[in-house]
Amino acid sequence: MRPRALGRAGWTALTVAAGTTLATRVWFETLPARWSFSTLDLFQFFYTTAARAGMELSHGRLLLWNPDVGLGTSEVADIQIAMLYPPNLLFAVLPAAWAIEVVTAFHVTLAAAATFLLCRQTGLCIASAAVAAVALGAGQALHMLSGWTAILATFSWCPVACLAARALGDAPGPRRGLALGAVLGLQVLAGYPQLHLYTVACLPLFAFGPRPWRRGTVRVAGWIIAAEVLALALGAVALAPAMAAVGASIRSRAALEPWFYEILPVRLASYRAGLAAPDLDARAPLYAGVLVPLLALAGLVARGAAPRLRVPAIVLTAVAIVFSLGRATPIFPLLWRLPIAHWLTGPYKWTYFAAFGVALLAAVGTESLAGAHADGTAIGWGRRGLWMALGAALLAVVPFSASARLLGALTLVGLGVGLTRRRPALVAAALPVGAFVAILAGYDARTLRPKDDMGYFTRYAPAYHYLAARQAEGRTFLLMPPLAIAIRQGEIEGVAQVNTYESFFGARLFAYLGAVTKGAQDPAQHPRMTALLRAVGARFVMTPHDAHGWLAGFGLERVLTSPAADVWRDAAVLPRAYVARDVVVVSSAGALARIGDPDIAAAHAAVLESEEDVPPAVAARDGEATVTLEEPTSVRIAVRSAAPALLVLLDAWSPDWRATVDGTPVAVRHANVLARAVAVPSGAHEVVFRFVPVAFYAGAAVSLVALSGSVLAALFLVRRGRVRAGRRRLATA
């Protein structure tokens, strides 16, 4: 593709990609809706976190610490929220449901347009590039990710990065290296580092082409490394706090459950089903109609055709399929032994890269079958026969619908016998249209679409309205079936909840919630369960309507009854801030069991951990504590005690919380497993807790320096280019 045609190609790519994406999204709206795993994660996490972050951004604030989730959580440590990712700024100006749809359409369009340009950059005609854009923009792979917004956003930058790598391979230099670094940096900020790692692994395929050891390889590799370093620096504001938090979360190597390493296992049979028809919960979402896989087969057998794209596409597809199989191959079991094993869970994510590779192969197949390119690229007669045989086998083995098989058979005959030799341009132009129609035809009533409203945000409205008006009394614990309610709905309803769902679940909170859940299911454990709730200040308990009536036997009062949920109030819980009347010191391993003792809340006691430096004389019988000022990142408490005492604040402990007593820094210890405590001297004092996310600030500083340096470098390169262009004009004048 000639440089002067880049502008026109860009508009063409945008038109094809946006038209394909929008038409597909509109088509989805005509289909019935049903529950899916993507719907579950959307409303359990992505919808609520995006809505809450948008609320804060609309008021000019970053959501650093969220007091309404758990006993409080560091949102800057959860990289999947991606509140600093530029497209997510839409959540500050649009309703969350609209913003999610706009952001989804944007990312699908971005990926499809970049795929189109990548095909054009490697010499394919417009029609062939359009087939690739249609395969990705209308196929199931990207649209299935609409419920996993961080995964979709991160993966959508993969085709853009491959396009930038291809340009860098053609002419390595600072300008294109800087462009690749910017693309990879945006991918890091999008919120799913694992797919970023996979993308970086794919870049050499497109940067080096089919002959990787040609002259200049070392220079290209050097620029790729420099671009990745720049990307990590640009994304340090999100990466640094996430890396600091992972060690104490269930995502750490030590805490990760074995089953999580291969969640949603993929097998070769999954690809057979995934090619045939769309399924919201497909293990291998490769569905793109019947024409795309047939055209991809043509690209596979078209030896010598478009090698700069064909060879990388074949390698990418093959590697992605093998890696996606997880335990079925020896590769991932070996990778899981590495120190970074916890970043390599869920091999199914490679299926999206396989879908990208199939789209590229379909473009090569279109080019070679139609022979519409200026150089007459076409599959020879022998390979056409091979393609027809393989295509017939594909139609027989993959359980396509009858109409899809008929269309596929007609395509094999029409293109296989060489009819395209008569009107190659016309046939090439018809293929993307035919592929698009064939894809949409497969999204029928049997397929359905992700359900937008599972009743999460309306069913429990009366209970949440009641609780929102009583936040000064204490937090709420949701004793509800986990798939029947959005665990994080409270953060958009103004209700602080004890239990929650998040990406970097703290290991302590996870163990605590497991103990409460187990206690609720076993009548013999009911005393322990209520004690666990009282020890962390769970004033209210929400239960399904007319369920858990046994709570009344432990002193809880039913204060609200609604068709979907009841609310119980517990007068015996510990207050959010209190001076401990007794202190119990146990090991960290035994702390959870100890707060399950009903005497802890009854005695206004605190459980400290022997591994930490426990201050002497910390029990006070007549102390008082009053919260005088509360902000998301700051809490002030007035304390009075006749003797040295221990102040307990039932907010989540975090290494980023600092405390002072009358301006003097003091140590913050674990109390009651999840909360925090400080020692205070006798008399009246003011204790101030401040949230200081050091890793976030350090990452922000690195990102700011990287961004400033990138902007200055870009301005310098633009100016230098203009000066050189002016000199050339003068030289030729």
Side-chain angles (χ1 to χ4, degrees), residues 289-360:
V290 68
L291 294 186
V292 169
L294 289 176
L295 293 173
L297 272 182
L300 181 65
V301 302
R303 183 177 179 180
R308 297 176 65 199
L309 186 63
R310 175 179 171 270
V311 174
I314 291 175
V315 175
L316 172 61
T317 305
V319 169
I321 291 175
V322 171
F323 276 18
S324 70
L325 299 179
R327 295 186 191 278
T329 71
I331 297 174
F332 259 93
L334 289 176
L335 294 177
W336 288 332
R337 297 178 183 177
L338 299 177
I340 60 169
H342 52 290
W343 292 105
L344 301 174
T345 57
Y348 72 89
K349 294 153 195 169
W350 276 102
T351 60
Y352 304 107
F353 292 85
F356 176 42
V358 168
L360 297 178

Side-chain angles (χ1 to χ4, degrees), residues 636-693:
R636 294 177 181 270
I637 303 173
V639 183
R640 184 193 61 78
S641 175
L646 184 78
L647 169 68
V648 178
L649 179 65
L650 294 181
D651 288 1
W653 185 94
S654 165
D656 291 326
W657 278 98
R658 307 287 190 266
T660 60
V661 176
D662 298 332
T664 302
V666 294
V668 181
R669 298 171 175 84
H670 282 96
N672 297 3
V673 179
L674 303 178
R676 50 188 188 257
V678 297
V680 294
S682 60
H685 303 279
E686 182 182 62
V687 178
V688 179
F689 291 91
R690 288 189 175 88
F691 182 62
V692 185

Side-chain angles (χ1 to χ4, degrees), residues 28-103:
F28 284 163
E29 292 300 317
T30 68
L31 303 176
R34 73 167 172 87
W35 182 90
S36 72
F37 286 118
S38 63
T39 307
L40 175 65
D41 274 359
L42 177 63
F43 289 104
Q44 288 282 337
F45 179 73
F46 290 110
Y47 179 95
T48 52
T49 56
R52 179 61 180 269
M55 291 178 192
E56 297 298 316
L57 289 172
S58 67
H59 290 90
R61 303 187 298 262
L62 286 178
L63 185 59
L64 302 179
W65 178 267
N66 189 342
D68 295 335
V69 173
L71 299 184
T73 188
S74 174
E75 297 291 33
V76 295
D78 197 333
I79 194 170
Q80 288 195 52
I81 295 177
M83 76 177 89
L84 295 176
Y85 177 54
N88 286 349
L89 295 176
L90 277 175
F91 288 96
V93 296
L94 291 177
W98 294 7
I100 285 175
E101 187 61 40
V102 172
V103 169

